[in-house]
Amino acid sequence: MMRSTLFFVLMMFVTMIVAAPIRSSSDEDSTEGLTKRGSKSTFSGTGTWFLPATEGGSTGACGPKEGNNSPIVALNSPQYGNMSKKSSWCGKKIRITGPKGSVVATVNDACPECKHGDLDLTPVLFKKVIGDMDIGVGKISWHLA
Ligand SMILES: *[C@@H]1O[C@H](CO)[C@@H](O)[C@H](O)[C@H]1NC(C)=O
């Protein structure tokens, strides 16, 4: 009697371990907003501009080289995830809409000081989406293209 109860408890325990989903915490960070919330999510925040070739070097956090006229953006760090790694956002095409217009750009970098929803744009994109580089900031919304 005692032995079979112990066996039953042991089997329950094994089943629980096997049934538990195996996920690393870094997966959760880097996919935040990308898969968990679904690909149709729209984000909004502040758009700013940066010069990749002179600020932080010309190699984006994602790897590929980028210049001041590249159609790329730096994604805010909360959504990018671990900045010393390639995010699952890397290489994703997004459509960004602002007061001036709408463009499609590729995520190639991370913006450490940006808040959730924010994007740092290259000048070529900033001019098309927000406009005045002297003002330098504007409201944007974006989603996967
Ligand atoms: C980020 O990634 C690096 C390289 O894999 C790792 O050493 C570091 O611990 C990670 N940091 C966090 C906060 O997960």
Side-chain angles (χ1 to χ4, degrees):
M1 185 61 187
M2 192 61 201
R3 274 178 71 109
S4 68
T5 304
L6 196 66
F7 181 73
F8 179 72
V9 169
L10 198 70
M11 283 310 290
M12 284 295 288
F13 191 62
V14 168
T15 307
M16 270 160 54
I17 292 169
V18 172
I22 299 157
R23 285 188 71 180
S24 74
S25 59
S26 66
D27 280 350
E28 271 180 53
D29 294 342
S30 58
T31 55
E32 196 272 322
L34 186 60
T35 51
K36 252 198 296 192
R37 294 195 197 178
S39 58
K40 292 275 187 278
S41 300
T42 298
F43 303 98
S44 50
T46 302
T48 47
W49 61 268
F50 76 123
L51 301 170
T54 41
E55 292 175 27
S58 55
T59 301
C62 293
K65 291 234 183 285
E66 57 193 30
N68 298 348
N69 293 314
S70 303
I72 63 92
V73 297
L75 180 65
N76 65 81
S77 55
Q79 287 182 281
Y80 184 94
N82 188 335
M83 287 199 288
S84 46
K85 285 188 192 163
K86 211 178 140 182
S87 168
S88 53
W89 280 98
C90 288
K92 292 274 187 283
K93 293 216 183 313
I94 57 172
R95 176 163 286 279
I96 312 160
T97 305
K100 184 88 180 286
S102 174
V103 293
V104 171
T106 305
V107 176
N108 191 56
D109 216 335
C111 173
E113 64 271 28
C114 292
K115 295 192 178 69
H116 194 280
D118 293 357
L119 298 174
D120 216 0
L121 285 67
T122 49
V124 67
L125 295 178
F126 188 90
K127 286 177 203 158
K128 288 177 188 167
V129 174
I130 298 165
D132 194 338
M133 286 186 61
D134 289 334
I135 295 172
V137 293
K139 288 279 163 221
I140 51 158
S141 66
W142 57 276
H143 55 82
L144 280 170

